[in-house]
Amino acid sequence: MRTAHRTTPPTVTGTGAAGTPHGHGTAPDEAGLRAHFEKVIADDRKIEPRDWMPDAYRRTLVRQIAQHAHSEIVGMQPEANWLTRAPSLARKTILLAKVQDEAGHGLYLYAAAETLGVHRADLLDALHEGRQRYLSFINYPTLTWADTGALAWLTDGAAIVNQVPLCRSSYGPYARAMVRVCKEESFHHRQGFDSLWALTHGTPAQRQMAQEAVDRWWYPALAMFGPPHHASVHSEQSMAWRIKRFTNDELRQRFVDICVPQAELLGLTPPDADLRWNDDRGHYDFTPPDFDELTRVIKGDGPCNRQRLAHRRRAHDEGAWVREAAAAHAAKHRTPHHGPHPAATTAPATADEATADEAAA
């Protein structure tokens, strides 16, 4: 398999934004560096790429950010399935913008991962070879047009609940990337709600189609938050490092509490006979997702796992020429010039060339 062009990872020498000397020469011993790292975390400040960090913290971030990035680019597929079959030009335009946003989110997140000294190409290889994962809900099919609305309303709604706290993650590049991601996810969630609103205010057949889509996507959305806290391998340490702020169970409960009133506005019913308000707890009681099913899907035994990964590998291979052309263009512009810079004497021949140059810059 042809991999993406590799660039040199960022260096990790000098003084970090949190004020920690790092690198060679006069660097403090590891105990001092660790003490400073823990104080930055305790003070709720940010760890930056040039700061000293424990290897386990770095590995945890690479795993989480890579999974997040993979989920964005593979997550384009379920809705892209309906781009050519959207019921109107307006709906097609909205859906296309959403799919394009997901690609951009992947770009932000791979860039954030590269600040940890890993190569984007290596992360993609790990995805294509099955060594790294993406979110389980992506492995379910979008059977009708209503599925695109239910998927956006439920899974993007779950993503907002999960990701807004990541804007305060202890790792600076990840937190800053999430600010823009969350703003765009809010658009995606509203788009899904609007699509379902149109269907539930349409014909009886459209209302039934919307309800059936919600029936299909309710539990995959609940499963997005991961296993219960007591069974989570990573949550406790990630919370101690303030990479994440809340347990999986707290986030899942928050999602249900937000979602049920919205479902009532839509005239749709989540497929849970035990879903009801609990005055004593001040929250909705609900049936948790099937965590055994979640485990099976994560391990590759979902309805669309093989299809999603095969499509991703094929798209990656077919896009090799684009990556090679971009790398050649970048290498050309890195070559030292003698005399006046070409831009001072030569204008691009066409507007298209000018646009390409601006994009490359």
Side-chain angles (χ1 to χ4, degrees):
M1 180 177 295
R2 305 172 79 175
T3 59
H5 175 69
R6 285 173 167 78
T7 57
T8 303
T11 59
V12 286
T13 59
T15 301
T20 307
H22 185 83
H24 305 287
T26 60
D29 60 22
E30 184 170 331
L33 292 169
R34 183 175 296 275
H36 183 88
F37 169 84
E38 291 174 353
K39 187 176 188 308
V40 171
I41 297 296
D43 291 346
D44 211 7
R45 291 185 286 145
K46 295 287 185 273
I47 301 297
E48 298 295 344
R50 293 178 181 271
D51 294 339
W52 184 91
M53 63 188 74
D55 288 340
Y57 178 82
R58 186 186 300 273
R59 287 194 302 269
T60 296
L61 282 167
V62 170
R63 176 192 57 78
Q64 179 169 328
I65 298 173
Q67 181 190 42
H68 195 165
H70 298 334
S71 299
E72 297 288 356
I73 63 170
V74 182
M76 299 162 66
Q77 294 184 42
E79 290 163 306
N81 180 46
W82 282 91
L83 282 175
T84 59
R85 296 180 286 165
S88 69
L89 180 59
R91 292 291 176 190
K92 180 175 182 177
T93 303
I94 292 168
L95 189 60
L96 181 60
K98 181 181 187 300
V99 172
Q100 288 176 321
D101 281 350
E102 307 295 2
H105 296 174
L107 176 64
Y108 310 151
L109 291 163
Y110 285 124
E114 286 182 315
T115 66
L116 293 160
V118 295
H119 289 289
R120 185 178 319 193
D122 293 332
L123 298 179
L124 289 170
D125 285 348
L127 168 65
H128 299 152
E129 294 165 9
R131 292 183 284 110
Q132 289 181 345
R133 309 295 185 187
Y134 52 88
L135 285 172
S136 61
F137 82 88
I138 296 165
N139 293 309
Y140 291 87
T142 46
L143 301 179
T144 69
W145 168 251
D147 284 67
T148 65
L151 184 154
W153 173 52
L154 290 171
T155 66
D156 289 310
I160 292 168
V161 170
N162 194 33
Q163 293 172 11
V164 165
L166 295 176
C167 296
R168 296 189 291 126
S169 171
S170 62
Y171 187 58
Y174 191 27
R176 290 188 288 272
M178 291 312 305
V179 172
R180 180 166 180 176
V181 169
C182 287
K183 289 179 180 178
E184 294 176 353
E185 292 291 0
S186 295
F187 156 73
H188 301 168
H189 175 255
R190 289 195 296 271
Q191 171 264 327
F193 185 93
D194 180 71
S195 180
L196 290 177
W197 180 270
L199 292 172
T200 56
H201 288 73
T203 66
Q206 289 173 323
R207 289 195 293 273
Q208 180 180 351
M209 182 170 65
Q211 181 62 60
E212 290 172 351
V214 169
D215 291 347
R216 284 191 288 272
W217 287 98
W218 176 255
Y219 283 107
L222 291 185
M224 283 178 62
F225 297 97
H229 183 63
H230 67 82
S232 176
V233 176
H234 304 288
S235 285
E236 199 70 46
Q237 184 60 73
S238 291
M239 290 177 67
W241 281 329
R242 299 192 180 182
I243 296 172
K244 62 183 292 184
R245 300 284 177 147
F246 302 99
T247 69
N248 296 346
D249 298 326
E250 289 171 329
L251 293 168
R252 193 168 7 249
Q253 181 69 69
R254 184 177 300 178
F255 169 71
V256 173
D257 290 347
I258 292 171
C259 216
V260 172
Q262 294 177 0
E264 292 172 352
L265 285 173
L266 289 168
L268 298 171
T269 305
D272 183 357
D274 296 324
L275 181 65
R276 59 180 56 86
W277 180 257
N278 185 319
D279 282 327
D280 293 334
R281 295 196 313 116
H283 296 286
Y284 283 94
D285 293 335
F286 64 96
T287 303
D290 184 340
F291 293 115
D292 291 335
E293 178 182 346
L294 171 63
T295 300
R296 290 196 303 272
V297 175
I298 289 174
K299 290 183 176 180
D301 193 24
C304 299
N305 290 65
R306 295 172 183 81
Q307 174 186 337
R308 299 287 188 242
L309 206 50
H311 183 91
R312 173 92 277 281
R313 292 190 191 106
R314 184 170 64 254
H316 184 76
D317 288 343
E318 291 176 354
W321 69 272
V322 179
R323 296 190 298 276
E324 292 166 0
H329 180 81
K332 176 182 177 182
H333 283 264
R334 279 197 301 268
T335 303
H337 292 283
H338 300 286
H341 191 279
T345 57
T346 305
T350 67
D352 287 344
E353 287 180 32
T355 302
D357 286 346
E358 290 170 6

